[in-house]
Amino acid sequence: MADATTNPTNTGLTTADGKPLKAALAHAQARSRRRAFLLVLPLLLFIVITFIVPIGQMLKRSVYNDGFTMQHNLTTGEKTPIMVNLAKWFDENPAGTEPDEAAFAALVEDLKQLKELRAAGQAGTRINYELSGSRSLFTQGARKAKKLQPPYKEALLELNPKWDDPKLWQVMRSASSNFTGTFFLAATDRTRDADGNIQRVEENRQIYLKLFWRTLKLSVLITVLTLILAYPIAHLLATLPLRYSNLLMIFVLLPFWTSLLVRTTSWMILLQSQGVLNDAMVAMGLISDDNRIQMMYNQTGTVIAMTHILLPFMVLPLYSVMRPIDPSYVRAARSLGATSWTAFRRIYFPQTIPGIAAGGLLVFILAVGYYITPALVGGSDGTLISNLIAFHMQKSLNWSMAAALASLLLGGILILYWLYDRLVGIDNLKLG
C-alpha cells in the first residue's frame, strides 16, 4: 500500500493515489477475507458433502418413508404413485372412522394396481415394519384382487380375516403419509394402538431401550477402565526423559499400526474357552479343565477387547495435558507439609482434568458407535445399538428404523458435547 498523505482539502488521511485511507484498509481486509475463504473452501465443501449432507439425509430418512405410497423404478429413478384410492379415503375420513364398503373398494382397486406394477411386496413390507405378517397379506390380496366381486368387504374378509384388523387400518393410515414419527416411536419401544394412542409395546418385544441402556452402561464402563489404565501410563510418559518417553510412546501407538480386525481376532484367540488364557489358568491350577471361564460371546469379551483397542485414545489426551505440568508444583506442596496423596489430589490431579474430560469424551463417543468388535466377540449378550443399526441397514432393509436409531444416538452425543462444554469448556479440549 502506498504511503498515506494528508489531503489539503480534507482533514482525513489518504493513500498516495488519493483514495481515503479508511476505504483502502477496508478493501485490503475484504481481499484478505476472500483469500482466506478460498483457501478453506475445499475443506468446507468436503465437510458439507461427506458430513453435513449424509447427516441431513439420515435425519430425513428417520421421519420419511414413501414405501406405501410410491413405487421406485431403480433403473430410471421415476416414482409411480400407489395406494392412491386408499389414501384419498383416509384424507376424507378422520382417524377412528371404521372402514366401510367404500374403504374396502378403494383397497381392492389399489391391490389391483399393486399387482400390475408388481409393488405388492414393497407396500406390504412398509406395513410389515409395524405389523408383522402384513407382507404376505398384501401379496396374497394383490394376486386375488381381480377375482374379487362386490361387496368387497365380505370378499376380502373371506379371503383373509386379517383385513378387518383395526390395527392394520391404523398402520395403513399412518403409512399413507410419507412423513411419520412411527420409527422414532418404535426406536423407543412404543407404538400406536388401533385408536392412535401411544403405548408401550409388549414386554417380549421391548429391545431398543434395553440395547440403548446396555450400550450406555458398557461405554461408561469401558471409559472408566481406559482411564484407570491410561492415567499411570500417561503419567510415566510425561515424567520420563524425552528420549525414553518417545520410545515408550511407540508401544502406545503400536495398535494404530495394526489392523482392527487383527487385534479383534487376537482377542478371540485369547479369550475363547479353549484359548490361551484359559489354557494358562488350567496349566497353573487356578481352574479345572471342566470349569473354564466363558469370556467370549458375552459382555466380558466386549469390554476386554474394546478397552484394549480404545486405550490409546485415552493415553494421548492425558499425556498432552500432563507433559506441560511443572513438577515443581508438587514438590512445593510437599515441602510445605502436604502428603503425597494430598499433593496429588489438590495440585496435580486438578491440572489433568481437561485431559481426563477430553479422553473420556473421545473414548465414550467411539465406544457407543463401535460395530466390528462387539459383532465378533460380543455375541447376543454383548451386542450394542450399533449392531442393530447395521442389521436394519443390511438385513431387514428398514433404513428408516436404522436412521431413527442413529438419530437418537446422535442426539445423545450432542447432549454429551453440550455437557462437556458447560462443565469443562470446549476450548479446553486437548486430544494429543
Side-chain angles (χ1 to χ4, degrees):
M1 182 180 299
D3 294 336
T5 60
T6 303
N7 190 338
T9 61
N10 192 346
T11 58
L13 296 177
T14 62
T15 61
D17 54 2
K19 295 181 180 180
L21 181 60
K22 184 176 180 181
L25 290 174
H27 179 72
Q29 291 174 352
R31 186 171 59 249
S32 298
R33 286 194 294 267
R34 286 195 300 269
R35 186 183 298 113
F37 176 76
L38 291 175
L39 289 174
V40 301
L41 183 60
L43 178 60
L44 179 62
L45 292 176
F46 177 80
I47 293 175
V48 170
I49 295 174
T50 64
F51 187 72
I52 304 298
V53 172
I55 288 179
Q57 291 179 337
M58 178 195 71
L59 295 175
K60 178 183 176 181
R61 173 63 67 175
S62 66
V63 295
Y64 180 86
N65 191 304
D66 58 357
F68 191 67
T69 59
M70 293 287 180
Q71 183 197 35
H72 299 260
N73 190 318
L74 299 180
T75 303
T76 63
E78 297 179 354
K79 296 182 180 181
T80 303
I82 57 178
M83 307 305 293
V84 177
N85 299 288
L86 190 59
K88 183 178 179 182
W89 186 87
F90 284 135
D91 291 338
E92 295 174 351
N93 295 271
T97 303
E98 184 177 352
D100 53 12
E101 178 63 19
F104 281 90
L107 176 59
V108 170
E109 290 299 319
D110 287 334
L111 289 174
K112 292 178 181 178
Q113 184 187 23
L114 292 179
K115 173 63 176 177
E116 294 177 0
L117 297 175
R118 298 181 180 180
Q122 173 190 313
T125 298
R126 170 63 183 90
I127 303 302
N128 198 76
Y129 290 154
E130 303 178 50
L131 188 64
S132 59
S134 301
R135 191 180 191 279
S136 59
L137 186 66
F138 273 80
T139 54
Q140 179 195 40
R143 286 197 307 268
K144 304 290 183 64
K146 288 186 177 181
K147 300 179 181 179
L148 299 179
Q149 299 295 328
Y152 290 115
K153 181 175 182 178
E154 295 180 6
L156 274 175
L157 295 185
E158 183 178 353
L159 180 63
N160 197 319
K162 290 183 179 179
W163 285 113
D164 198 32
D165 185 1
K167 175 64 175 177
L168 172 64
W169 285 87
Q170 187 276 323
V171 173
M172 289 194 297
R173 178 184 288 274
S174 174
S176 64
S177 173
N178 294 337
F179 288 92
T180 175
T182 301
F183 297 102
F184 278 103
L185 289 178
T188 55
D189 291 329
R190 285 169 171 78
T191 186
R192 293 184 183 274
D193 57 18
D195 298 326
N197 300 316
I198 298 176
Q199 61 181 14
R200 294 289 295 273
V201 300
E202 295 83 358
E203 187 174 355
N204 59 351
R205 296 178 58 194
Q206 296 177 7
I207 58 175
Y208 296 112
L209 288 181
K210 292 180 181 179
L211 271 180
F212 272 116
W213 170 245
R214 179 191 297 172
T215 302
L216 175 63
K217 181 180 65 175
L218 292 184
S219 298
V220 170
L221 177 60
I222 292 167
T223 302
V224 172
L225 290 176
T226 55
L227 174 61
I228 294 174
L229 294 174
Y231 202 95
I233 296 174
H235 177 70
L236 177 64
L237 293 173
T239 54
L240 283 176
L242 195 60
R243 62 179 182 276
Y244 297 120
S245 64
N246 288 340
L247 179 63
L248 293 179
M249 183 63 73
I250 296 177
F251 294 100
V252 174
L253 298 177
L254 189 61
F256 287 125
W257 305 334
T258 307
S259 169
L260 175 62
L261 188 60
V262 172
R263 284 179 281 165
T264 304
T265 305
S266 301
W267 277 112
M268 294 174 66
I269 297 173
L270 290 171
L271 298 177
Q272 60 183 319
S273 298
Q274 302 298 325
V276 177
L277 291 180
N278 272 291
D279 286 345
M281 288 187 286
V282 170
M284 290 185 293
L286 299 177
I287 59 175
S288 65
D289 190 54
D290 297 332
N291 295 319
R292 290 174 175 264
I293 302 175
Q294 182 64 35
M295 294 180 287
M296 275 286 295
Y297 308 120
N298 52 29
Q299 296 183 18
T300 302
T302 299
V303 171
I304 293 175
M306 289 184 62
T307 298
H308 167 256
I309 291 171
L310 297 178
L311 183 61
F313 294 98
M314 182 67 78
V315 173
L316 295 178
L318 286 173
Y319 172 77
S320 67
V321 171
M322 291 179 176
R323 190 73 188 181
I325 296 178
D326 193 339
S328 63
Y329 295 159
V330 175
R331 291 197 298 266
R334 296 191 63 182
S335 67
L336 294 174
T339 62
S340 298
W341 167 245
T342 302
F344 169 78
R345 178 174 56 87
R346 300 187 62 180
I347 303 300
Y348 189 82
F349 181 78
Q351 298 181 76
T352 64
I353 288 179
I356 295 174
L361 181 68
L362 183 60
V363 171
F364 182 84
I365 291 175
L366 291 174
V368 297
Y370 238 68
Y371 162 68
I372 296 179
T373 303
L376 293 178
V377 305
S380 59
D381 290 339
T383 299
L384 303 182
I385 196 64
S386 56
N387 301 109
L388 201 58
I389 293 174
F391 168 78
H392 284 304
M393 289 293 295
Q394 301 171 0
K395 302 295 184 181
S396 71
L397 301 181
N398 189 352
W399 291 1
S400 293
M401 189 66 203
L405 292 170
S407 298
L408 291 177
L409 198 60
L410 175 63
I413 297 301
L414 292 178
I415 292 175
L416 184 63
Y417 270 118
W418 177 78
L419 290 175
Y420 179 90
D421 186 45
R422 292 295 300 270
L423 298 176
V424 180
I426 202 68
D427 294 338
N428 295 322
L429 185 65
K430 296 183 179 181
L431 298 179

